[in-house]
Amino acid sequence: MDLVSCIRNVPDFPKKGIGFKDITTLVGNGPALQQSIRLLKQKYNDQKIDAVIGIESRGFIFAAVLAHEWGIGMIPVRKPGKLPYKKISETYELEYGTDTLEMHEDAVSAGQKVLIVDDLLATGGTAKATAHLVERLGAKVAGFGFVVELDFLRGRDNLSTYRVESLVHYDSE
Amino acid sequence: MDLVSCIRNVPDFPKKGIGFKDITTLVGNGPALQQSIRLLKQKYNDQKIDAVIGIESRGFIFAAVLAHEWGIGMIPVRKPGKLPYKKISETYELEYGTDTLEMHEDAVSAGQKVLIVDDLLATGGTAKATAHLVERLGAKVAGFGFVVELDFLRGRDNLSTYRVESLVHYDSE
């Protein structure tokens, strides 16, 4: 199954000139969802992963299934105010302004090895902030797993000290 | 494994007097996540389900794993402005004010049978609005699957025409 054909391109979302890669059509297709999970699993089957981090909120979808497949826990990284317990936060730069992500302070333990999962790698700001959260708690980032990578935004350069695996690549909008 | 012991009670979140049932500790525990999925699957294994709807955003976690286990698609129902393609929306009453949910208009087809999944059943407003979205597209609600049900809020009364299954029940805050 060709995963690219399962991703819908939505022009001008969320703003004019941006071609949004809509993965709801992939997730809504049973065989495509299974294939994307099979491929992400294969990429990291050589590692002993202790937990899978999912970045709010489409990242939850793939992170949860991967964690379940491996029989390990899934840990949400969320926008401010969503997590109920004690947490740490990381603020990062956007093109205009900043954004913040939070993680429960007891979500990972020192020495654990975690995989960070999101649906899409764009500029890598969110991904890098998530890695910092993990590392501040003393855990190790085994790598990143993305379904889609927008190569032309060069997010991979932002994550150059990490292993980055993506299933589908786009060279341009 | 006792699922209740895996759920953290966080007092006074999101506001004073509310005891928040934090399922991140359950999801972060590999065996507990697997058991909750096994139990939800068992509840609906007698039905032929065509798709699993996950309600933003903790619902995505359980809906995605269930869909993957059954080899069918997972469909997100989201807060306004998040879904990129053509959608329908449903507005429902809160204690103070209203809230709105959206679903892609091509996410389910007429005649399909879907399971609606969320982490928690409180008053049932969100769940009922989601059922209406499904029905407006001509699909049928096979039932609801929740991990936690707050019995004292009587959300089940709000969903009396549907099958409702929950794994963990709380009689009081």
Side-chain angles (χ1 to χ4, degrees), chain A residues 19-159:
Chain A
F20 189 83
K21 307 304 174 223
D22 178 14
I23 54 92
T24 67
T25 40
L26 184 154
V27 172
N29 177 326
L33 175 59
Q34 288 194 323
Q35 179 161 335
S36 63
I37 294 298
R38 196 161 46 237
L39 293 172
L40 284 170
K41 259 175 84 178
Q42 274 172 16
K43 303 272 190 196
Y44 285 98
N45 257 341
D46 60 325
Q47 306 252 342
K48 165 90 187 57
I49 309 283
D50 295 301
V52 183
I53 312 258
I55 302 177
E56 180 165 3
S57 61
R58 286 183 296 266
F60 293 179
I61 295 170
F62 301 98
V65 184
L66 270 173
H68 183 265
E69 287 285 297
W70 278 323
I72 59 181
M74 178 269 187
I75 291 156
V77 160
R78 303 203 62 176
K79 307 270 167 63
K82 301 294 188 77
L83 290 171
Y85 191 63
K86 294 175 202 162
K87 54 217 170 187
I88 59 171
S89 70
E90 185 84 18
T91 296
Y92 58 102
E93 304 281 323
L94 297 175
E95 199 181 353
Y96 304 101
T98 63
D99 220 336
T100 299
L101 286 175
E102 298 184 337
M103 182 164 67
H104 277 149
E105 64 174 29
D106 62 351
V108 296
S109 318
Q112 281 193 319
K113 218 158 110 182
V114 307
L115 176 65
I116 300 173
V117 169
D118 206 352
D119 65 323
L120 183 137
L121 174 59
T123 61
T126 305
K128 197 172 185 178
T130 302
H132 288 166
L133 288 170
V134 167
E135 290 161 352
R136 280 169 55 195
L137 295 177
K140 194 174 157 10
V141 177
F144 291 90
F146 302 101
V147 178
V148 176
E149 180 171 351
L150 304 181
D151 294 354
F152 55 97
L153 293 179
R154 308 185 67 83
R156 190 175 280 262
D157 296 351
N158 220 345
L159 306 173

Side-chain angles (χ1 to χ4, degrees), chain B residues 122-143:
Chain B
T123 60
T126 305
K128 197 172 185 178
T130 302
H132 288 167
L133 287 170
V134 167
E135 290 161 352
R136 282 169 54 195
L137 295 176
K140 192 174 159 7
V141 177

Side-chain angles (χ1 to χ4, degrees), chain A residues 8 10 13 20 22 24 27-28 30 34 37 57-58 60 64-65 68-69 71-74 78 81 84-85 104 106, chain B residues 8 10 13 20 22 24 27-28 30 34 37 57-58 60-61 65 68-69 71-74 78 81 84-85 104 106:
Chain A
R8 174 161 54 195
V10 181
F13 186 90
F20 189 83
D22 178 14
T24 67
V27 172
Q34 288 194 323
I37 294 298
S57 61
R58 286 183 296 266
F60 293 179
V65 184
H68 183 265
E69 287 285 297
I72 59 181
M74 178 269 187
R78 303 203 62 176
Y85 191 63
H104 277 149
D106 62 351
Chain B
R8 173 161 54 195
V10 181
F13 186 89
F20 189 83
D22 177 13
T24 67
V27 172
Q34 288 194 324
I37 294 297
S57 64
R58 287 183 296 267
F60 292 179
I61 294 170
V65 184
H68 183 264
E69 287 285 298
I72 59 181
M74 178 270 188
R78 303 202 63 175
Y85 191 64
H104 277 149
D106 62 351

Side-chain angles (χ1 to χ4, degrees), chain B residues 70-158:
Chain B
W70 279 323
I72 59 181
M74 178 270 188
I75 291 154
V77 160
R78 303 202 63 175
K79 308 271 168 60
K82 302 294 188 79
L83 290 172
Y85 191 64
K86 294 175 203 163
K87 55 217 171 188
I88 59 170
S89 71
E90 185 85 18
T91 296
Y92 58 102
E93 303 282 323
L94 297 174
E95 199 181 354
Y96 304 101
T98 62
D99 221 335
T100 299
L101 287 175
E102 297 184 337
M103 183 165 67
H104 277 149
E105 65 173 27
D106 62 351
V108 296
S109 319
Q112 281 193 318
K113 216 157 109 183
V114 308
L115 175 65
I116 300 174
V117 169
D118 206 352
D119 65 323
L120 183 138
L121 173 59
T123 60
T126 305
K128 197 172 185 178
T130 302
H132 288 167
L133 287 170
V134 167
E135 290 161 352
R136 282 169 54 195
L137 295 176
K140 192 174 159 7
V141 177
F144 291 90
F146 301 101
V147 178
V148 176
E149 180 170 353
L150 304 181
D151 294 355
F152 55 98
L153 294 178
R154 307 184 68 83
R156 189 175 281 262
D157 295 353
N158 219 344

